[in-house]
Amino acid sequence: MANRDLDGDASALYDDVFARLSGAGITVDAPAGDSGRAEWRTGVRDLGDVGAPATYSSVLAAPGGNVNAAISGNDYRRMPGTGEASAQVAGVGALVRQRMATDPMFAGMSDEDKSALVSNFLMGTAHPIVDPSAADGTFWSPRWVGAGMVDALAATTSSVYPSVVGAANPSRPKAELGESASGWTFQIQLTNLSDTAHTYTLGGQALSEDVNGLLYTKHSTNWAGKGIDLTIPYLGFYGSADETPIFDTPVYGEGMIGTSTMTFRGLTLGQLNPFDVEDAAAISANDRHLYIISRSTEENARTYATPATVLLRDVMSLTYTYRNEAGDVVRSYTFGGAPKSRTVSHGRYSEASTAEATFGSQPLFDGYDEQGRALADGRYTLTIEGTTGGASPRTERLTHVVTLDTAPPVISNVAISGEGDERKLSFDATDSSPIAAYGFSWSADGEPFMREKVYGSDERGDDGRHYGHFEVPLSQIAERSGGDPSTVYLQVWDWPVNKGTVKVDLKAVPMTSLALSQTDVTLSVGDSVTLSTTHEPADASVTDVAWSSSNEAVATVSQDGTVTAVGAGDATVTVYDPTQPSLVSASATIHVSAPSPARKAGAWKRNGRGWWYRYEDGSYPSGESAVIDGNVYRFDASGYMRTGWVQWYYHAASDAQASGWLLSGVRWYYLSPQSGVMVTGGVKVGSARYYLAPANGAMATGWLKDGGHWYYLNRPSGAMTTGWLRIWGTWYHFADNGQLIA
């Protein structure tokens, strides 16, 4: 036991604890043992120092160096220290208590008296230990060895015990002398519990500690009439040992003594951007959602993960089982036990030794099953099962989830915009894992001449994937490359270091003119036509175009050039280069005639196939739309009323053409209140603006790029943001028209 002097309130607290334990019939003893140094084996006993509260006196020495100690697995190991001395003193104490339980001479005593007598017999029969370095037979000080070396035989056979008359605790053979200028006088009382007479001769030494350089030397001087008080701290276990957990908590943070987690190359998964593996300052809170590995060959790729498990107690066995999302076992390991974890100095991922350090092999997960077959991407659950030994073994389980992601990020919407020094490259990236970095190289597989780490700039979509939008000044690319490149390869890495690559032409050739396949088109409501374009010059590298309609109540146009007649009237459809809309464009005039009313009176009919409209003469409308009672209906070639989506219109079952907001499946759509046609692109409804996907009319949410500008559509309403908004920890400012202000 380490020497820690206690005084004042701390000493009083320990005194009270020990008094309560004694009152409950529990014996508390504080053993000292050697530190395991070589001097013990050469005859010089390097005893461990001890201390206790001022009035606590049950202090003994016992062999504590090179001791055969029991360990897990029904085995023994040579161990040093006070811990081994404690086990010996506890064992002797147990023998004394066993004697008291069976010997009739103790039958009339209370549990409190018996508890006190255990310590009394241990102390009263202990042997003072002579300091081998002293020539005069001086004993080791009680500060280091207490009452002396425990004697198991004497403690379990003696029927006489000593006590100090007038002591605060007379059942313990220790006199508290304190300071005095004139000496000390005290009386020893011997109590004989047997019918046999015994004779004792009293002797002893008065010792003081030798001090050299303001430090105790562990040696003493024998003085007549002067003694030294002894104080000792003591810490005991409170509670039930069977309830002590096996595993440390599966979390990580700075200042933690121990934890259980998953590691990669000795670093905790979920902590660091993979391109920050040498940045110790980046260690912070652990995110268990980022336990992700791949099969990438890139440098710093997280290609495997191993558990780092801190044990709070010894276990007889440890089993590691990996299961897929269906619950099937794909990999398992079983080991024959491990000792409880001990602290190690300055570990990168933990400040405590781990169970896995005991094994010759690690229970790793590398994306392959036990037969070496590649596993599918997805989440895999690791269950660690530990079982204790002893008469009442118990089993405890700890789980981690590891994601296998082998797919590279998808790069899209690569575009160059701006003029002169303000030109920039923008792109989007999406992946099932967070984006870790982007960069540029001279070849598809070349080393990047520029790499930028990414922290929290992506967001999760409704599909669970991570989305990120990035903008890079071309001047920065030129500076990092050391020149003015015309072509580079854009590279994007995800968290497990899968890499996506696309070729980017930085010297874009813009269009100078556009032309349409038709410039004057006549349609009936519900009809559609697809317009095609041509451009000059023929080798233009920027060929993306955008479409618009001057009056969407008359005609709408999708981004592939499909024009749909909505209502009677004229409209102008325009196609343009979104990077220079005022310079490069072309237009077509669209004439739309209204749908014809029903040719004659009739009535609605229904059969097993559906609804149809029967004219008075028995005929019916087929393959056309008709206005009946002021509502528009559409009929298939067999004459049955159509429901659901009909081109860009929606008909509810047994109902006319719908209008306004419509929830179809999990997506929202907006149908023109005037014509019922599905609206695409930007639209203002009430006081809010929305964006409806040109391809399918679905309402967009999150980040949106349109016409070279960025917008943000609130989740889940879809309303376009204006003013200031904080997104994933970053503040953004949007103009009144919704455009992001750089």
Side-chain angles (χ1 to χ4, degrees), residues 520-579:
D520 196 86
V521 180
T522 300
L523 300 172
S524 298
V525 172
D527 294 340
S528 62
V529 64
T530 299
L531 304 178
S532 59
T533 63
T534 57
H535 60 262
E536 295 290 341
D539 62 347
S541 57
V542 180
T543 59
D544 289 338
V545 296
W547 299 80
S548 66
S549 171
S550 65
N551 190 345
E552 293 190 343
V554 174
T556 62
V557 59
S558 65
Q559 293 307 298
D560 66 353
T562 299
V563 179
T564 301
V566 177
D570 294 335
T572 300
V573 169
T574 302
V575 62
Y576 57 93
D577 180 351
T579 65

Side-chain angles (χ1 to χ4, degrees), residues 305-475:
T306 59
T309 310
V310 175
L311 296 177
L312 301 179
R313 60 191 302 173
D314 294 354
V315 294
M316 298 297 294
S317 67
L318 278 173
T319 299
Y320 300 77
T321 306
Y322 292 93
R323 290 180 171 85
N324 59 21
E325 294 182 73
D328 303 321
V329 176
V330 299
R331 202 155 185 171
S332 63
Y333 307 81
T334 298
F335 299 96
K340 69 178 182 180
S341 301
R342 292 184 167 89
T343 57
V344 297
S345 60
H346 307 295
R348 286 293 300 274
Y349 62 84
S350 177
E351 296 181 6
S353 62
T354 62
E356 292 75 17
T358 307
F359 313 141
S361 59
Q362 298 277 346
L364 61 82
F365 179 75
D366 59 1
Y368 296 87
D369 65 12
E370 292 182 338
Q371 288 73 45
R373 296 171 299 199
L375 297 170
D377 283 8
R379 290 161 59 89
Y380 293 83
T381 300
L382 165 63
T383 301
I384 308 174
E385 189 174 86
T387 302
T388 61
S392 303
R394 55 187 292 265
T395 298
E396 188 174 305
R397 294 171 181 83
L398 176 70
T399 61
H400 298 291
V401 176
V402 184
T403 299
L404 176 63
D405 176 12
T406 64
V410 176
I411 304 171
S412 62
N413 299 326
V414 180
I416 296 175
S417 60
E419 299 290 336
D421 294 339
E422 301 300 320
R423 286 168 59 80
K424 59 186 178 182
L425 171 69
S426 62
F427 61 93
D428 296 329
T430 180
D431 194 79
S432 57
S433 303
I435 305 300
Y438 67 85
F440 300 92
S441 64
W442 295 111
S443 62
D445 296 321
E447 288 294 315
F449 59 76
M450 170 182 172
R451 179 155 58 200
E452 296 293 321
K453 291 173 288 192
V454 175
Y455 296 96
S457 63
D458 63 352
E459 64 175 30
R460 300 287 294 272
D462 296 337
D463 56 0
R465 294 179 62 82
H466 295 259
Y467 292 84
H469 173 75
F470 306 93
E471 296 183 353
V472 188
L474 296 191
S475 59

Side-chain angles (χ1 to χ4, degrees), residues 27-31 60 62 82-98 118 122 150 234:
T27 302
V28 181
D29 295 291
L60 300 127
T82 56
E84 311 314 315
S86 298
Q88 300 209 30
V89 172
V92 178
L95 293 174
V96 175
R97 288 198 74 102
Q98 184 180 33
V118 172
L122 293 176
V150 67
Y234 180 85

Side-chain angles (χ1 to χ4, degrees), residues 691-725:
Y691 188 86
L692 306 152
N696 58 14
M699 183 185 74
T701 59
W703 284 106
L704 167 74
K705 187 177 183 181
D706 184 49
H709 298 284
W710 281 97
Y711 304 82
Y712 190 81
L713 308 167
N714 282 311
R715 301 179 185 272
S717 71
M720 185 177 294
T721 297
T722 60
W724 286 97
L725 180 67

Side-chain angles (χ1 to χ4, degrees), residues 581-600:
S582 62
L583 299 177
V584 180
S585 64
S587 300
T589 301
I590 310 298
H591 309 280
V592 180
S593 58
S596 303
R599 296 190 298 273
K600 59 196 85 170

